[in-house]
């Protein structure tokens, strides 16, 4: 079930929040972008929070839960994948008391990732085509 707007457990850290209505419920849609400093191919995420997911539909993967870089204060997070296809679908957020909610993707934009890759390729071609890998004098 969608977490309602104003849920006291949700304390966003550095996220853009938009109040909206989904499936007949008032909720909050969150958006953020990764930093070039954290990921050389950053992405923009839009997500919505839910209180539960179907048993055996998703699994937490990756390193142990961490509060480092968490988008919600006081919550440790882990990546979550679909058990059917293995694709990354969001994150689980766990409080110190064991209370848990989930952030599911609505949309993921890779524009900056493609822009960075394009610049990197252009630089490589420039280096390959110039004599001795340097700009002409």
């Amino acid at each position: 079930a969608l977490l309602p707007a104003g849920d006291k457990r949700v304390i966003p850290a550095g996220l853009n929040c938009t109040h909206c209505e989904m499936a007949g419920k008032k909720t909050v849609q969150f958006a953020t972008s990764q930093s070039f400093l954290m990921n050389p191919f950053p992405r923009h995420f839009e997500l919505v929070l839910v209180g539960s997911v179907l048993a055996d539909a998703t699994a937490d993967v990756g390193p142990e839960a961490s509060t480092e870089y968490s988008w919600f204060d006081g919550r440790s997070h882990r990546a979550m994948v679909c058990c059917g296809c293995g694709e990354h679908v969001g994150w689980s957020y766990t409080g110190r008391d064991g209370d848990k909610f989930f952030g599911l993707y609505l949309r993921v934009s890779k524009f900056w990732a493609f822009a960075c890759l394009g610049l990197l390729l252009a630089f490589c071609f420039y280096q390959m085509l110039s004599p001795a890998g340097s700009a002409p004098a």
Side-chain angles (χ1 to χ4, degrees):
L2 288 168
L3 289 185
D7 189 307
K8 301 293 184 210
R9 301 176 297 164
V10 179
I11 304 169
L15 295 171
N16 296 322
C17 307
T18 305
H19 291 272
C20 61
E21 188 170 317
M22 289 183 182
K25 288 188 172 184
K26 291 184 189 235
T27 188
V28 179
Q29 179 178 328
F30 297 96
T32 190
S33 295
Q34 291 177 315
S35 167
F36 286 101
L37 300 175
M38 300 299 163
N39 185 347
F41 302 109
R43 295 178 287 177
H44 176 80
F45 298 101
E46 293 179 13
L47 59 134
V48 66
L49 301 180
V50 296
S52 61
V53 293
L54 293 174
D56 300 326
T58 63
D60 288 343
V61 296
E64 289 301 312
S66 168
T67 56
E68 188 174 18
Y69 307 118
S70 179
W71 290 332
F72 298 96
D73 284 340
R75 298 269 171 181
S76 58
H77 68 285
R78 288 192 73 190
M80 221 170 47
V81 297
C82 171
C83 288
C85 66
E87 288 292 318
H88 183 208
V89 294
W91 297 268
S92 63
Y93 295 94
T94 308
R96 289 180 189 91
D97 61 357
D99 176 58
K100 196 174 205 180
F101 59 78
F102 306 90
L104 302 178
Y105 288 157
L106 293 176
R107 185 178 351 199
V108 178
S109 168
K110 298 179 182 176
F111 170 77
W112 290 112
F114 292 126
C116 289
L117 186 58
L119 285 172
L120 180 64
L121 288 173
F123 177 75
C124 288
F125 283 126
Y126 173 77
Q127 289 295 321
M128 288 175 14
L129 297 175
S130 63
S134 61

